[in-house]
Amino acid sequence: MSNHYLVVLLVSLLILLVNVSTSSAQRQVYIVYLGEHRHSGKQTWEEIEETHHSYLQAVKGSKEEAKACIIYSYKNVINGFSALLTPQEATTISEMEGVISVFHSHPTKSRLHTTRSWDFISLLEANWDATRPPINQDQFLRRAGYGKDVIVGVLDSGVWPESQSFNDEGMEPIPSSWKGICESGVAFNSSHCNKKLIGARYYLKSYEANFGPLDPKLDFRSPRDINGHGTHTSSTIGGRRVPNAAAIGGFGYGTATGGAPLVRLAIYKVCWPVPGQTRAEGNTCLDDDMLAAFDDAIADGVQVISVSIGRNTSTPYIQDGIAIGSLHAVKRNIVVACSAGNSGPTPSTVTNVAPWIITVGASSIDRVFSSPVLLGNGIQVQGESVTPHKLSMMHPLIYAGDAEIPGTTINETSGLCLPGTLSKELVQGKIVLCLRGYSTNVEKGLEVRGAGGLGFILQNPVDGISISVDAHVLPGTAVLSNDSATILNYIKSNKNPTASIVSARTVLSSKPSPFMAGFSSTGPNPLEPNILKPDITAPGLNILAAWSEAASPTKLFDDSRVVKYNILSGTSMSCPHVAAAAVLIKATHPNWSSAAIRSALMTTATQTNKLGLPITDGTGDTAATPFHYGSGHFRPGKALDPGLIYDANYTDYLLYLCNYNTSVPSIDPSFTCPDDFPSPTDLNYPSIAVSNVNSSGISVRRTVTNVGGGATVYKVRLEAPVGYTVEISPETMNFSSVGQRESFNIVIRPGSGFRNGYAFGWYTWSDGIHSVRSPIVVSSH
Ligand SMILES: *[C@@H]1O[C@H](CO)[C@@H](O)[C@H](O)[C@H]1NC(C)=O
Ligand SMILES: *[C@@H]1O[C@H](CO)[C@@H](O)[C@H](O)[C@H]1NC(C)=O
Ligand SMILES: *[C@@H]1O[C@H](CO)[C@@H](O)[C@H](O)[C@H]1NC(C)=O
Ligand SMILES: *[C@@H]1O[C@H](CO)[C@@H](O)[C@H](O)[C@H]1NC(C)=O
Ligand SMILES: *[C@@H]1O[C@H](CO)[C@@H](O)[C@H](O)[C@H]1NC(C)=O
Ligand SMILES: *[C@@H]1O[C@H](CO)[C@@H](O)[C@H](O)[C@H]1NC(C)=O
Ligand SMILES: *[C@@H]1O[C@H](CO)[C@@H](O)[C@H](O)[C@H]1NC(C)=O
Ligand SMILES: *[C@@H]1O[C@H](CO)[C@@H](O)[C@H](O)[C@H]1NC(C)=O
Ligand SMILES: *[C@@H]1O[C@H](CO)[C@@H](O)[C@H](O)[C@H]1NC(C)=O
């Protein structure tokens, strides 16, 4: 049965349960969002809970019923609660005084977006700007104290505390600002925290309200990670330097390190396995569990939050737990980095698009795991794998679509090696060509092995040059979709097709690099076309990082292998790279706002690859656009010294929200929307997106703050989008002191060669030392 069916079954099961209990009303988990606490510190927790109960009492009748249905009462910073309500009760509460939004905490909606990378980044910094001395990675890390004074919160699937990446040898005492805890639970107690892993908590009240009590066979009821994902992301941010690390089979061998090796990690486990689904399919992360984690992380004193979690579609800001939690965090100058999603290259798939978040796309590094397929006719086809097996002899080759048990597939599921579809008789002793889709890659391997196959070849889902590799349970390699067609042709045109799979080896300095990963979600921004998203790209293809020893490298239940490091792909992997860069900036400039840190990352990003050519999209032959990478590929060393920053504060974000509903910014009791508030294009963002420009054009305004040297003169250079004229005035800005702010206007008008659709350009302020670049995206219809 395919995963698709599993999902469908699960959803219909939930509906069934709900229908059955109609008499006791259809209760589901809703979040009632009330903004910020008014008198932080003045109200006791009991008083806050009392207030939350009073909303529920009004619809439920009695205090007892109110108490019985409440799940969370957010008490630190975020004001609100979650509870089991009927749709009618939810509607009634939404009309009560002080309620900003009432929304569903959807089960299965938010999911995890699944060491060489840091070396690669310093190579990029060194090679990409011939006019400046190369940046030595150690130099800027030292300047940032390796992140030792900064605390980063990670919302994910928990942590494997025994990993060497989290050892605290030689680390200084925990910063006195830390107020969090190390929560005990199954196989986890306070002894598992140390000076590196300073805090750990877990949140599953909403998970259990949706799915029933956590099955102890599925996960640890504690911050301990059974999945691997949370261990991977947190070690990417802050893992110590661990020499001789490698994935199973020795792939990617080298020194594993996080981007900020001395940063303090605070783990917030919010993602849990869905009963009935395989672990490889991923976890679910409930909005109200995540909001509780944000509320605690803010109160605990974290300075950066990394969230490799998201839906596959965008949700309005005030019905999105990550957007709401981040806004409260950003008010306190906590930087929040989120993954853009893995639904690319389809346009308008980018998620986590709130303008107070750093939204991160994914691209490749300069490493491949070469494992070619040799066909019986002598043709060699490129493949990639991190499966430590040898299958160098020629063996019979068969296409999965020709080896199925009749009746187990339909047209669209044929050839996919879905569970229970392959005929033992036909597959025994052969190498099988499987198509991607419906089930995870590693499950396909499991099916081939189960049917007696010797090995398998996996086709890439879409055209393009990015291959995500896996540690399969039998010899296997993955090939590009066009090459898969070559193999299929060979099978169809030969009586006795044969093949061998060449053992994989790690190859460094592959070209071109980086290129955009085909799966990285892309713009335009589906919620607000006048804010460009994603903001930036970072390594997310085949990334090596620490792993949970309770999970096999494939996460398959039938796979008993245990590894300390594993290779994963996704914007889940790129987000923690950018979170680490934010840590280093925060460590270097403790007083910079969250917007300033994002601006530094964006305006110093690069759009060229190591060859000095434009970074390509997932096809490998077309230049990527700001819809793929926003401002470009991050360069953490350069971001420590950006020259100018585009700042924005919490008030600016509330003013931005006035554009959607003038009552909504009452999130903050001291704020009301003025009669005249700026349009989204005038939010002081480090990139420019303007939609539906008409014949009279549009003028947008930006303000920059000097954070470089004292007296300096910046001049602008620009490339107008094709079909438009762009005027920036003034063209020169004189700064006499650090902290000085200067504003300029950008006027964009349709010009000659104008066509409907999207066009891309850029402008750069430069003082001869710093280059402060912003992309321009314009659309007309
Ligand atoms: C704006 O928000 C308020 C308060 O949440 C709500 O009552 C109102 O219906 C909303 N208006 C629109 C146009 O969505
Ligand atoms: C925590 O658990 C370990 C075993 O995993 C045990 O050795 C240790 O004494 C426990 N520490 C505390 C504080 O309970
Ligand atoms: C999002 O995921 C759901 C199931 O998890 C699927 O039905 C839906 O088609 C997906 N949407 C997109 C835009 O990928
Ligand atoms: C399967 O596809 C073939 C051609 O591609 C078509 O003729 C046939 O009707 C399809 N069968 C089903 C069940 O969709
Ligand atoms: C498939 O595409 C890749 C990347 O564009 C290219 O290198 C390779 O030669 C192509 N293979 C075939 C058989 O055309
Ligand atoms: C940073 O902010 C703190 C407290 O707000 C202040 O004491 C300190 O002087 C500031 N440092 C700089 C370099 O501005
Ligand atoms: C926020 O920034 C604006 C300028 O964009 C400034 O006028 C305002 O005083 C700032 N507010 C706070 C609370 O710092
Ligand atoms: C063009 O758009 C601007 C703002 O977007 C608007 O004020 C103006 O009326 C429009 N002009 C025409 C001719 O539609
Ligand atoms: C800015 O400085 C330049 C060179 O120092 C000078 O030529 C120019 O007049 C100055 N412009 C303004 C507006 O002060």
Side-chain angles (χ1 to χ4, degrees):
M1 196 166 40
S2 79
N3 289 2
H4 179 65
Y5 296 136
L6 280 173
V7 172
V8 169
L9 263 180
L10 183 74
V11 171
S12 48
L13 203 68
L14 284 174
I15 293 166
L16 260 177
L17 286 175
V18 167
N19 285 347
V20 166
S21 57
T22 308
S23 51
S24 68
Q26 313 167 350
R27 303 203 311 170
Q28 287 172 312
V29 179
Y30 286 89
I31 295 171
V32 178
Y33 176 50
L34 305 167
E36 283 237 352
H37 283 294
R38 275 157 203 267
H39 308 289
S40 221
K42 284 192 190 154
Q43 260 186 314
T44 64
W45 282 20
E46 288 72 24
E47 284 165 347
I48 292 168
E49 225 164 42
E50 192 87 352
T51 315
H52 294 166
H53 285 156
S54 69
Y55 283 98
L56 290 167
Q57 206 177 328
V59 296
K60 296 284 184 188
S62 76
K63 202 166 197 162
E64 287 62 41
E65 273 191 88
K67 275 189 176 160
C69 73
I70 198 159
I71 296 168
Y72 280 108
S73 214
Y74 304 122
K75 294 169 185 161
N76 296 319
V77 172
I78 298 169
N79 191 3
F81 57 91
S82 71
L84 280 165
L85 299 171
T86 65
Q88 287 92 331
E89 290 166 343
T91 308
T92 308
I93 291 181
S94 74
E95 285 155 2
M96 291 181 184
E97 201 188 325
V99 175
I100 290 164
S101 62
V102 176
F103 59 100
H104 215 156
S105 178
H106 287 281
T108 77
K109 262 206 147 175
S110 280
R111 287 168 169 274
L112 294 164
H113 279 154
T114 294
T115 7
R116 175 74 183 162
S117 52
W118 291 107
D119 294 337
F120 172 64
I121 287 152
S122 66
L123 282 176
L124 292 187
E125 305 240 19
N127 291 2
W128 278 351
D129 190 349
T131 64
R132 300 195 58 196
I135 291 185
N136 175 307
Q137 194 190 8
D138 257 354
Q139 210 173 309
F140 75 78
L141 276 172
R142 216 177 303 131
R143 188 172 163 204
Y146 300 87
K148 71 182 167 66
D149 297 326
V150 180
I151 303 165
V152 61
V154 188
L155 271 61
D156 211 300
S157 66
V159 70
W160 190 260
E162 288 83 6
S163 170
Q164 268 308 298
S165 290
F166 306 123
N167 87 71
D168 69 348
E169 213 181 292
M171 284 185 73
E172 289 173 21
I174 294 169
S176 57
S177 59
W178 174 244
K179 298 197 259 320
I181 60 163
C182 192
E183 197 176 358
S184 292
V186 174
F188 202 99
N189 63 31
S190 58
S191 321
H192 289 108
C193 287
N194 60 20
K195 285 179 277 185
K196 156 60 66 183
L197 211 60
I198 63 171
R201 297 176 184 254
Y202 64 100
Y203 304 84
L204 83 171
K205 287 186 187 166
S206 184
Y207 170 85
E208 294 195 320
N210 277 285
F211 297 105
L214 176 69
D215 178 349
K217 288 198 292 292
L218 288 183
D219 204 341
F220 298 103
R221 193 184 188 82
S222 75
R224 186 174 286 276
D225 178 17
I226 205 168
N227 181 289
H229 191 279
T231 303
H232 201 278
T233 55
S234 38
S235 66
T236 299
I237 302 169
R240 301 295 297 277
R241 287 188 170 167
V242 179
N244 311 323
I248 190 163
F251 297 108
Y253 179 85
T255 297
T257 180
L262 292 183
V263 73
R264 318 299 175 135
L265 292 166
I267 305 300
Y268 300 86
K269 180 174 175 181
V270 294
C271 300
W272 304 88
V274 178
Q277 288 192 13
T278 65
R279 197 174 289 156
E281 275 181 280
N283 286 359
T284 187
C285 327
L286 279 297
D287 272 309
D288 45 339
D289 287 333
M290 289 194 283
L291 264 183
F294 268 108
D295 195 37
D296 281 343
I298 294 166
D300 288 350
V302 307
Q303 289 139 305
V304 175
I305 295 178
S306 184
V307 190
S308 289
I309 300 171
R311 297 182 167 83
N312 64 358
T313 55
S314 277
T315 315
Y317 306 128
I318 57 158
Q319 297 175 14
D320 176 345
I322 295 176
I324 292 171
S326 311
L327 182 62
H328 291 278
V330 165
K331 181 184 182 186
R332 286 150 188 87
N333 269 333
I334 299 167
V335 185
V336 183
C338 295
S339 45
N342 300 334
S343 306
T346 313
S348 282
T349 45
V350 60
T351 62
N352 291 322
V353 295
W356 46 89
I357 287 172
I358 311 180
T359 313
V360 188
S363 41
S364 75
I365 60 173
D366 63 343
R367 177 181 62 194
V368 294
F369 301 98
S370 175
S371 174
V373 175
L374 196 56
L375 299 177
N377 60 3
I379 289 180
Q380 179 168 309
V381 172
Q382 270 317 313
E384 277 198 67
S385 181
V386 287
T387 308
H389 290 103
K390 290 189 169 63
L391 200 65
S392 45
M393 305 283 285
M394 283 291 180
H395 295 282
L397 174 65
I398 192 165
Y399 166 55
D402 300 332
E404 283 159 358
I405 301 166
T408 59
T409 59
I410 54 170
N411 257 6
E412 63 174 288
T413 57
S414 179
L416 299 174
C417 297
L418 299 181
T421 59
L422 291 181
S423 152
K424 284 201 167 70
E425 217 168 298
L426 294 170
V427 163
Q428 192 76 40
K430 292 184 184 146
I431 294 175
V432 183
L433 173 66
C434 301
L435 310 183
R436 285 206 201 209
Y438 286 89
S439 63
T440 63
N441 303 335
V442 289
E443 282 175 301
K444 293 172 193 291
L446 197 62
E447 172 65 12
V448 173
R449 188 181 71 174
L454 287 181
F456 86 121
I457 301 166
L458 184 62
Q459 174 220 41
N460 229 28
V462 287
D463 290 340
I465 57 171
S466 43
I467 295 184
S468 316
V469 296
D470 303 279
H472 295 291
V473 295
L474 80 170
T477 191
V479 300
L480 297 177
S481 66
N482 63 342
D483 289 331
S484 167
T486 305
I487 299 173
L488 195 54
N489 261 339
Y490 164 69
I491 294 173
K492 298 281 184 197
S493 58
N494 274 271
K495 275 214 182 68
N496 297 305
T498 58
S500 69
I501 301 173
V502 179
S503 297
R505 62 194 176 89
T506 308
V507 180
L508 297 181
S509 302
S510 63
K511 296 181 184 87
S513 62
F515 57 84
M516 292 305 301
F519 58 74
S520 185
S521 287
T522 63
N525 182 337
L527 275 192
E528 176 48 72
N530 294 301
I531 300 286
L532 178 63
K533 290 284 176 174
D535 292 308
I536 203 153
T537 187
L541 184 65
N542 301 329
I543 302 302
L544 177 78
W547 200 241
S548 163
E549 292 184 38
S552 65
T554 55
K555 300 190 197 174
L556 292 171
F557 295 122
D558 323 36
D559 184 355
S560 57
R561 294 175 294 177
V562 171
V563 295
K564 292 184 179 350
Y565 290 85
N566 198 20
I567 290 173
L568 240 59
S569 295
T571 51
S572 280
M573 282 64 245
S574 58
C575 169
H577 279 87
V578 169
V583 164
L584 299 178
I585 302 175
K586 190 87 193 173
T588 313
H589 307 286
N591 285 17
W592 281 13
S593 70
S594 145
I597 290 172
R598 176 177 53 196
S599 174
L601 285 163
M602 289 169 66
T603 60
T604 57
T606 181
Q607 303 75 41
T608 50
N609 64 25
K610 265 176 72 189
L611 300 171
L613 299 169
I615 292 174
T616 60
D617 66 11
T619 67
D621 5 275
T622 313
T625 73
F627 285 152
H628 298 98
Y629 56 51
S631 292
H633 193 285
F634 84 144
R635 286 189 288 185
K638 288 225 176 351
L640 295 190
D641 185 21
L644 303 175
I645 50 156
Y646 293 82
D647 209 351
N649 59 31
Y650 178 62
T651 311
D652 296 322
Y653 296 131
L654 293 182
L655 286 166
Y656 166 83
L657 284 172
C658 294
N659 283 285
Y660 304 96
N661 181 336
T662 51
S663 333
V664 161
S666 62
I667 287 167
D668 203 303
S670 60
F671 181 87
T672 45
C673 287
D675 293 338
D676 198 14
F677 46 83
S679 84
T681 49
D682 279 333
L683 181 65
N684 201 34
Y685 215 73
S687 57
I688 308 279
V690 287
S691 62
N692 299 329
V693 172
N694 61 25
S695 54
S696 36
I698 185 166
S699 174
V700 302
R701 193 167 173 79
R702 290 289 186 270
T703 301
V704 286
T705 309
N706 180 27
V707 294
T712 169
V713 178
Y714 276 87
K715 290 193 168 61
V716 77
R717 281 181 299 131
L718 69 86
E719 183 166 303
V722 171
Y724 294 85
T725 63
V726 175
E727 278 170 48
I728 295 182
S729 61
E731 292 180 317
T732 305
M733 293 188 291
N734 289 6
F735 293 92
S736 51
S737 61
V738 171
Q740 187 180 335
R741 292 157 69 86
E742 291 293 335
S743 298
F744 55 94
N745 288 314
I746 305 165
V747 178
I748 303 169
R749 288 193 190 86
S752 60
F754 168 80
R755 273 180 303 156
N756 284 335
Y758 294 101
F760 306 99
W762 52 264
Y763 69 91
T764 299
W765 288 104
S766 180
D767 65 348
I769 297 170
H770 307 96
S771 284
V772 189
R773 186 185 186 276
S774 297
I776 303 173
V777 179
V778 195
S779 78
S780 298
H781 59 224

